[in-house]
Amino acid sequence: WKSTDAECEAMAGLPARWLVRPGLRYYDLKNAGIAESRGRFVVLADSDTVTDRDFLEVSLRHLDRAGGELAAVTGRTRFVKGPFSREVAIAQLPNQSTDAGDTTHFLAHNVAFRGDVLREDSFRGGHIRLFPDTDLAARLIAKGFRIEYEPRMGVTHNYAREWREISAHC
């Protein structure tokens, strides 16, 4: 997929730049985008997720209203019904709860950060983690920041319609 900055901006409805970084792996791609970002907030939603209609509004409103101690807000992840959806949901618990509150982790496909806080730290590891990111979360918490879970900030993960499509998302 190749896109111009103008096409990317038109799709998002926001000022945007399309970055091409061949050869980088999962977290390296996220870190490259984070390093280039200049905004007050950084929001991550992976290409194999479909966000709820109000995903961006809920996440940014939540961060905007919070005090300076809140580094990130993460949301509820649902999975399309399929042969492995139950197993994937169990592996990524507790991001299935209907109760909001502080958390010690987030899923890197469904999270919004304060930009200034995230640019000081980064994701680590050159591999895809199938479980919640506890490393970055633990480092942020050790610095005195909080991470909140807000179930109204939702995505549906791995929207493949057939099992044969799953390998394209891995």
Side-chain angles (χ1 to χ4, degrees), residues 37-132:
S37 72
R38 299 291 174 257
R40 186 170 167 207
F41 305 114
V42 173
V43 182
L44 302 176
D46 285 354
S47 62
D48 62 347
T49 61
V50 175
T51 63
D52 289 356
R53 281 188 101 87
D54 60 352
F55 170 82
L56 197 55
E57 290 83 0
V58 169
S59 60
L60 297 182
R61 190 176 323 117
H62 195 81
L63 279 171
D64 195 40
R65 291 181 181 168
E69 77 282 351
L70 184 64
V73 61
T74 188
R76 186 173 188 178
T77 299
R78 294 175 305 279
F79 297 87
V80 172
K81 292 194 185 302
F84 305 108
S85 58
R86 181 171 182 250
E87 289 79 4
V88 174
I90 289 169
Q92 298 196 8
L93 286 173
N95 289 76
Q96 310 298 308
S97 175
T98 57
D99 299 324
D102 283 6
T103 186
T104 58
H105 71 279
F106 53 83
L107 298 172
H109 65 257
N110 181 1
V111 62
F113 296 92
R114 281 187 28 214
D116 59 335
V117 172
L118 185 58
R119 282 186 288 271
E120 289 180 18
D121 271 292
S122 64
F123 291 95
R124 292 187 184 156
H127 60 282
I128 296 175
R129 293 185 184 177
L130 297 177
F131 296 97

